Amino acid sequence: MWEGTKVEPILRARGLGKRFRGFAAVGRVDLDVAHGSVHALVGPNGAGKTTLFNLLTGFLRPSAGRITLDGRDVTGLAPERVARLGVARSFQITTLFPKVTAREHVELALQARTGQGWRFWRSERQLGRFRDRALHLLDEVGLAAAAETPAAELAYGRKRALELAVALALEPRVLLLDEPTAGMGAEDVDRTIDLIARIRAGRTVVLVEHNMTVVRSLADRVTVLQHGDVLVEGGYAEVRADPRVITAYLGESHVDR
Ligand SMILES: Nc1ncnc2c1ncn2[C@@H]1O[C@H](COP(=O)(O)OP(=O)(O)OP(=O)(O)O)[C@@H](O)[C@H]1O
């Protein structure tokens, strides 16, 4: 947790910026994500959260600034390289294969991590090496009973849980979650909060999230973005009470939703 974390952040951005045809979607962002923390990125629509997320995961090349992962400069590296160095992203990105079972998805991800890539033609025996670990990860995300269910037959919330298991199979040093509760009903939101609370143990999580109940429940640290810059950073209660944040969100419907 927060108190016990190393002083050096696992993920650090300095002066990070992204311009699209001269428009600064992200201005000059400084961000420190502490080891073992859950760090939320929030802000009104268009604040630059997704752009920042894409910069941190290598999906966009920054126009300015630097990103370091555990002290190593990863600025401008391709997404696969960033992922291999330990930054995994889940939600709104993973493609699930409809006929492939939950267990097979995780086995394939475990296999991919060994550097063999996503190869479907491997023998049952070879994939079996990953079975125990796959089942363990499915259990961790509450999908033990659905191990043999094809992805297409999983309900929405369960598909997202499977995507999470796939991301965890990569044993990320930092797990980035892109609006993990987007499109979910209240029950699935609660389940997802419990799930993230469980899987965060021993991991570092960065999440972009609109739902303030989720942020309040999970985040050790909250960075509020507005117009591409950091408006405020702090604990949830501190940030929530900050007049600048209240003003930024005025008229927005998703405060304390
Ligand atoms: N590829 C792009 N080309 C031009 N402008 C872009 C591009 N991507 C984002 N923007 C602009 O940058 C700003 C920040 O967008 P971004 O999607 O990062 O915000 P956000 O905080 O994630 O918003 P939301 O909460 O609505 O998802 C917006 O004004 C958006 O229109």
Side-chain angles (χ1 to χ4, degrees), residues 20 23 25 43-52 179 210:
F20 295 109
F23 171 75
N45 292 110
K49 304 179 294 291
T50 305
T51 304
L52 178 56
E179 298 197 32
H210 275 295

Short mmCIF file of all heavy atoms in Angstrom, two decimals, residues 20 23 25 43-52 179 210, ligand 1:
data_model
loop_
_atom_site.label_atom_id
_atom_site.label_comp_id
_atom_site.label_asym_id
_atom_site.label_seq_id
_atom_site.Cartn_x
_atom_site.Cartn_y
_atom_site.Cartn_z
N PHE A 20 -1.86 17.30 -31.47
CA PHE A 20 -2.46 16.85 -32.72
C PHE A 20 -2.66 18.09 -33.59
O PHE A 20 -3.47 18.95 -33.24
CB PHE A 20 -3.81 16.18 -32.48
CG PHE A 20 -3.75 14.90 -31.68
CD1 PHE A 20 -4.22 14.86 -30.37
CD2 PHE A 20 -3.21 13.74 -32.23
CE1 PHE A 20 -4.18 13.68 -29.64
CE2 PHE A 20 -3.16 12.56 -31.51
CZ PHE A 20 -3.64 12.53 -30.21
N PHE A 23 -2.80 21.19 -31.73
CA PHE A 23 -3.68 21.21 -30.55
C PHE A 23 -3.09 20.31 -29.46
O PHE A 23 -2.81 19.12 -29.70
CB PHE A 23 -5.08 20.72 -30.94
CG PHE A 23 -5.97 20.51 -29.76
CD1 PHE A 23 -6.53 21.59 -29.09
CD2 PHE A 23 -6.25 19.22 -29.32
CE1 PHE A 23 -7.34 21.39 -27.98
CE2 PHE A 23 -7.08 19.01 -28.21
CZ PHE A 23 -7.63 20.11 -27.55
N ALA A 25 -3.47 18.04 -26.85
CA ALA A 25 -4.40 17.12 -26.16
C ALA A 25 -3.86 16.82 -24.77
O ALA A 25 -4.61 16.67 -23.80
CB ALA A 25 -4.57 15.83 -26.95
N GLY A 43 -11.00 13.18 -14.87
CA GLY A 43 -11.13 14.51 -15.47
C GLY A 43 -12.33 14.54 -16.39
O GLY A 43 -12.79 13.50 -16.85
N PRO A 44 -12.82 15.73 -16.64
CA PRO A 44 -14.00 15.86 -17.51
C PRO A 44 -13.72 15.33 -18.92
O PRO A 44 -12.56 15.11 -19.28
CB PRO A 44 -14.25 17.37 -17.56
CG PRO A 44 -13.39 17.98 -16.53
CD PRO A 44 -12.31 17.03 -16.19
N ASN A 45 -14.75 15.16 -19.69
CA ASN A 45 -14.59 14.70 -21.08
C ASN A 45 -13.62 15.60 -21.82
O ASN A 45 -13.65 16.81 -21.68
CB ASN A 45 -15.94 14.72 -21.80
CG ASN A 45 -16.89 13.68 -21.24
OD1 ASN A 45 -17.87 14.03 -20.61
ND2 ASN A 45 -16.59 12.43 -21.43
N GLY A 46 -12.75 14.96 -22.58
CA GLY A 46 -11.79 15.71 -23.39
C GLY A 46 -10.60 16.22 -22.61
O GLY A 46 -9.78 16.99 -23.14
N ALA A 47 -10.45 15.79 -21.35
CA ALA A 47 -9.36 16.29 -20.50
C ALA A 47 -7.99 15.78 -20.93
O ALA A 47 -6.97 16.34 -20.55
CB ALA A 47 -9.62 15.92 -19.05
N GLY A 48 -7.97 14.68 -21.68
CA GLY A 48 -6.70 14.13 -22.13
C GLY A 48 -6.34 12.79 -21.50
O GLY A 48 -5.22 12.30 -21.67
N LYS A 49 -7.28 12.18 -20.80
CA LYS A 49 -7.01 10.93 -20.09
C LYS A 49 -6.60 9.81 -21.05
O LYS A 49 -5.60 9.12 -20.84
CB LYS A 49 -8.26 10.49 -19.30
CG LYS A 49 -8.77 11.52 -18.34
CD LYS A 49 -10.01 11.04 -17.59
CE LYS A 49 -11.24 10.85 -18.48
NZ LYS A 49 -11.78 12.12 -19.01
N THR A 50 -7.40 9.63 -22.09
CA THR A 50 -7.12 8.55 -23.05
C THR A 50 -5.80 8.79 -23.77
O THR A 50 -5.01 7.86 -23.98
CB THR A 50 -8.28 8.42 -24.06
OG1 THR A 50 -9.49 8.26 -23.33
CG2 THR A 50 -8.08 7.25 -24.99
N THR A 51 -5.56 10.05 -24.11
CA THR A 51 -4.32 10.39 -24.80
C THR A 51 -3.12 10.08 -23.88
O THR A 51 -2.13 9.47 -24.31
CB THR A 51 -4.31 11.87 -25.23
OG1 THR A 51 -5.48 12.11 -26.03
CG2 THR A 51 -3.07 12.22 -26.03
N LEU A 52 -3.23 10.46 -22.63
CA LEU A 52 -2.15 10.18 -21.67
C LEU A 52 -1.93 8.68 -21.54
O LEU A 52 -0.79 8.19 -21.54
CB LEU A 52 -2.50 10.82 -20.31
CG LEU A 52 -1.50 10.58 -19.18
CD1 LEU A 52 -0.11 11.06 -19.56
CD2 LEU A 52 -1.96 11.30 -17.90
N GLU A 179 -11.00 2.54 -18.33
CA GLU A 179 -12.42 2.55 -17.97
C GLU A 179 -12.97 1.15 -17.72
O GLU A 179 -13.84 0.68 -18.45
CB GLU A 179 -13.24 3.26 -19.06
CG GLU A 179 -12.82 4.72 -19.21
CD GLU A 179 -13.84 5.54 -19.96
OE1 GLU A 179 -15.03 5.25 -19.84
OE2 GLU A 179 -13.43 6.47 -20.67
N HIS A 210 -14.30 7.08 -15.11
CA HIS A 210 -15.28 8.16 -14.95
C HIS A 210 -16.10 8.00 -13.68
O HIS A 210 -16.59 8.97 -13.12
CB HIS A 210 -16.26 8.15 -16.13
CG HIS A 210 -15.76 8.90 -17.31
ND1 HIS A 210 -15.53 10.24 -17.30
CD2 HIS A 210 -15.41 8.49 -18.55
CE1 HIS A 210 -15.08 10.64 -18.47
NE2 HIS A 210 -14.99 9.59 -19.24
N1 LIG B 1 -6.21 11.64 -32.76
C1 LIG B 1 -6.64 12.85 -32.40
N2 LIG B 1 -6.64 13.89 -33.25
C2 LIG B 1 -7.05 15.11 -32.89
N3 LIG B 1 -7.51 15.42 -31.65
C3 LIG B 1 -7.55 14.43 -30.76
C4 LIG B 1 -7.12 13.10 -31.07
N4 LIG B 1 -7.28 12.33 -29.94
C5 LIG B 1 -7.78 13.16 -29.01
N5 LIG B 1 -7.95 14.40 -29.48
C6 LIG B 1 -8.46 15.56 -28.73
O1 LIG B 1 -7.67 15.70 -27.56
C7 LIG B 1 -8.47 16.06 -26.44
C8 LIG B 1 -8.29 15.02 -25.35
O2 LIG B 1 -8.92 13.81 -25.76
P1 LIG B 1 -8.91 12.48 -24.89
O3 LIG B 1 -9.67 11.46 -25.65
O4 LIG B 1 -7.54 12.16 -24.48
O5 LIG B 1 -9.75 12.96 -23.63
P2 LIG B 1 -10.41 12.09 -22.48
O6 LIG B 1 -10.11 12.80 -21.21
O7 LIG B 1 -10.00 10.69 -22.60
O8 LIG B 1 -11.95 12.25 -22.82
P3 LIG B 1 -13.19 11.23 -22.55
O9 LIG B 1 -13.43 11.29 -21.09
O10 LIG B 1 -14.29 11.87 -23.32
O11 LIG B 1 -12.78 9.90 -23.07
C9 LIG B 1 -9.89 16.17 -26.96
O12 LIG B 1 -10.14 17.52 -27.23
C10 LIG B 1 -9.87 15.35 -28.24
O13 LIG B 1 -10.82 15.86 -29.17
#
